[in-house]
Amino acid sequence: MKMRSALLLALLFLVTVSSCTRQVERLPTEHLKHVEVVLRTQESEYWRTVKMGAEVAAKEFDVTLDFRAPADEADVKGQVALLEQSVASKPNAILLAANDYKALSPAVEEAAKQHIPVVAIDSEVDTPQVRSFIGADHYAAGQQAAAQLIKWIGTTGQIAIVSNRLGDRNTELREQGLLDELAHYQGIQVLEKVYGSTNRELAVQLTDEVLKNHPGLSGIVALTENASLGAASAIQSRNLQEKVKIITFNSTPEELALMQEGVIQAAIVQNPFSIGYLGVKQAAEAANGHKLPERTKTEIKAIDLTNMFWSDNQKLLFPFIK
């Protein structure tokens, strides 16, 4: 079943991409510009798709790219060092997806002192020296996750939250949106919140403990890609997919296959390809002296079996941009 689902998704992707055409408008550049790209990590489907979008934009807007990223999103010090190296290389612009809201600020401010524009994608940085931010409204994404959970378990039930490390701004915003929305339902009890699932294996262990300690659990919300895959795996290994409903984040091929198999009920989906593409586009514009919008909000959408194959949702589920 899983192989058949994956094959169906792959075929749909090929058909969609082959039918997609776009007019290309190039920036007027006197010479090739260089953009340093510092990502949260490259060890996930989400960030590989961001990179894909960035590479497409680089070809269209005549810039060269160098990618830097720590192996683990939890390695904040490592990412700070990588950003400092990028600043020292004196590029024409920097594209940054920060692992920490505050820790990356000094290096961004140093870039500004050297007149190197910094564009932030996916996660914000606590400094006004960022020229532009491109990304989703993570608080609203948490609210959407709550709405999907209520849709599947009703207005009463015991739930758990599986999240990233403490201090990660994106997941904190998602969690706050989730909890604020769930506060409208007195019958919903949040029994446990577990953190530290920056890798899938740890998320499996954490979720398995939650399932063992709370046999009456009716729902889980997993706030990151690794948390989602790990939590879904733990539910499936205990054969609890009929009893415990799970709402996840992102749209890896494995998540979509698990959705078709009934393990995952819904996913809150961003458009990482578009985030990478727009990030490089704006970095190229900044490198050429153009004024940037302060914020560009990218789309989020709840995807389930009822709408995952709608044509309007293809750009969110597969890596291309109109």
Side-chain angles (χ1 to χ4, degrees), residues 51 66 71 90 96 122 157 162-163 177 215 222 224 228 252 260 276 288:
K51 183 179 179 182
D66 275 336
K90 300 187 183 303
L96 171 65
D122 186 77
V162 183
S163 188
T224 66
S228 297
T252 66
Q260 289 186 290
N288 284 282

Side-chain angles (χ1 to χ4, degrees), residues 49 83 145 165 173 184 222 244 262:
T49 307
L83 179 57
R165 58 186 169 81
L173 288 169
H184 297 299
V244 181

Side-chain angles (χ1 to χ4, degrees), residues 257-278:
L258 287 167
M259 188 180 295
Q260 289 186 290
E261 293 171 17
V263 179
I264 292 173
Q265 278 61 57
I268 308 303
V269 175
Q270 302 180 71
N271 190 338
F273 185 93
S274 183
I275 289 172
Y277 178 92
L278 292 173

